[in-house]
Coordinates of all heavy atoms in Angstrom, one line a residue:
Chain B
T513 N 161.8 27.2 -50.9 CA 162.3 28.2 -49.9 C 161.5 28.2 -48.6 O 160.4 28.0 -48.6 CB 162.1 29.7 -50.4 OG1 160.9 29.9 -50.9 CG2 163.2 29.9 -51.7
T514 N 162.1 28.6 -47.6 CA 161.4 28.7 -46.3 C 161.6 30.2 -45.8 O 162.4 30.9 -46.4 CB 162.0 27.7 -45.2 OG1 163.5 28.1 -45.1 CG2 162.0 26.4 -45.7
A515 N 160.9 30.5 -44.8 CA 161.0 31.8 -44.3 C 162.4 32.4 -44.2 O 162.7 33.4 -44.5 CB 160.2 31.9 -43.0
S516 N 163.2 31.5 -43.6 CA 164.6 32.0 -43.3 C 165.4 32.1 -44.6 O 166.5 32.7 -44.5 CB 165.2 31.1 -42.3 OG 165.3 29.8 -42.9
S517 N 165.0 31.5 -45.6 CA 165.9 31.6 -46.8 C 165.2 32.1 -48.0 O 165.9 32.3 -49.1 CB 166.3 30.0 -47.1 OG 165.0 29.3 -47.2
V518 N 164.1 32.6 -47.9 CA 163.3 33.1 -49.1 C 164.0 34.4 -49.7 O 164.0 34.5 -50.9 CB 161.9 33.5 -48.7 CG1 161.8 34.7 -47.8 CG2 161.1 33.5 -49.9
D519 N 164.7 35.2 -48.9 CA 165.3 36.3 -49.5 C 166.6 36.1 -50.2 O 166.8 36.5 -51.2 CB 165.6 37.4 -48.4 CG 164.3 38.0 -47.9 OD1 163.3 38.0 -48.8 OD2 164.0 38.4 -46.7
T520 N 167.4 35.2 -49.5 CA 168.7 34.9 -50.1 C 168.7 33.9 -51.1 O 169.5 33.8 -52.0 CB 169.7 34.5 -49.1 OG1 169.2 33.3 -48.5 CG2 169.8 35.5 -47.8
G521 N 167.7 32.9 -51.1 CA 167.7 31.8 -51.9 C 168.8 30.8 -51.5 O 169.2 30.0 -52.3
R522 N 169.3 31.0 -50.3 CA 170.3 30.1 -49.8 C 169.9 29.8 -48.4 O 169.6 30.7 -47.6 CB 171.7 30.7 -49.9 CG 172.2 30.8 -51.3 CD 173.7 31.0 -51.5 NE 174.0 31.2 -52.9 CZ 174.2 30.2 -53.7 NH1 174.4 28.9 -53.3 NH2 174.5 30.3 -55.0
L523 N 170.3 28.6 -48.0 CA 170.2 28.3 -46.6 C 171.4 28.9 -45.8 O 172.3 29.3 -46.5 CB 170.1 26.8 -46.3 CG 169.0 26.1 -46.9 CD1 169.0 24.6 -46.6 CD2 167.6 26.6 -46.3
A524 N 171.4 28.8 -44.5 CA 172.5 29.4 -43.7 C 173.8 28.8 -44.1 O 174.8 29.4 -44.2 CB 172.1 29.1 -42.1
D525 N 173.8 27.5 -44.5 CA 175.1 26.8 -44.8 C 175.4 27.0 -46.2 O 176.4 26.4 -46.7 CB 174.9 25.3 -44.6 CG 173.9 24.6 -45.5 OD1 173.3 25.2 -46.3 OD2 173.7 23.4 -45.2
G526 N 174.7 27.9 -46.9 CA 175.0 28.2 -48.3 C 174.3 27.4 -49.4 O 174.5 27.6 -50.6
T527 N 173.7 26.4 -48.9 CA 172.9 25.6 -49.9 C 171.9 26.4 -50.7 O 171.1 27.1 -50.1 CB 172.1 24.4 -49.2 OG1 173.1 23.8 -48.3 CG2 171.6 23.4 -50.2
P528 N 172.0 26.4 -51.9 CA 171.0 27.2 -52.8 C 169.6 26.5 -52.7 O 169.4 25.2 -52.6 CB 171.5 27.2 -54.2 CG 172.3 25.9 -54.3 CD 172.9 25.7 -52.8
V529 N 168.6 27.3 -52.6 CA 167.2 26.8 -52.4 C 166.3 27.7 -53.2 O 166.7 28.8 -53.6 CB 166.6 26.7 -51.1 CG1 167.4 25.7 -50.2 CG2 166.7 28.0 -50.3
G530 N 165.2 27.3 -53.6 CA 164.2 28.2 -54.2 C 164.5 28.3 -55.7 O 165.2 27.4 -56.3
H531 N 164.1 29.3 -56.3 CA 164.3 29.5 -57.7 C 165.7 29.9 -58.0 O 166.4 30.8 -57.4 CB 163.4 30.6 -58.3 CG 161.9 30.1 -58.2 ND1 161.4 29.3 -59.1 CD2 160.9 30.4 -57.3 CE1 160.0 29.1 -58.8 NE2 159.8 29.7 -57.8
H532 N 166.3 29.3 -59.0 CA 167.7 29.8 -59.5 C 167.8 29.7 -61.0 O 167.2 28.8 -61.6 CB 168.7 28.8 -58.9 CG 169.1 29.2 -57.5 ND1 170.2 30.0 -57.2 CD2 168.5 28.9 -56.4 CE1 170.3 30.2 -55.9 NE2 169.2 29.6 -55.3
E533 N 168.5 30.7 -61.6 CA 168.7 30.6 -63.0 C 169.9 29.7 -63.3 O 170.9 29.6 -62.6 CB 169.0 31.9 -63.4 CG 167.9 32.9 -63.2 CD 167.5 33.8 -64.4 OE1 168.3 34.1 -65.2 OE2 166.2 34.0 -64.6
V534 N 169.8 29.1 -64.4 CA 170.9 28.1 -64.9 C 171.5 28.8 -66.1 O 170.8 29.0 -67.1 CB 170.4 26.8 -65.2 CG1 171.4 25.8 -65.7 CG2 169.6 26.2 -64.0
G535 N 172.8 29.1 -66.0 CA 173.4 29.8 -67.1 C 173.6 28.9 -68.4 O 173.2 29.4 -69.5

Side-chain angles (χ1 to χ4, degrees):
Chain B
T513 50
T514 59
S516 60
S517 53
V518 70
D519 289 331
T520 63
R522 290 190 184 273
L523 296 180
D525 66 2
T527 309
V529 293
H531 294 284
H532 277 264
E533 300 230 323
V534 179

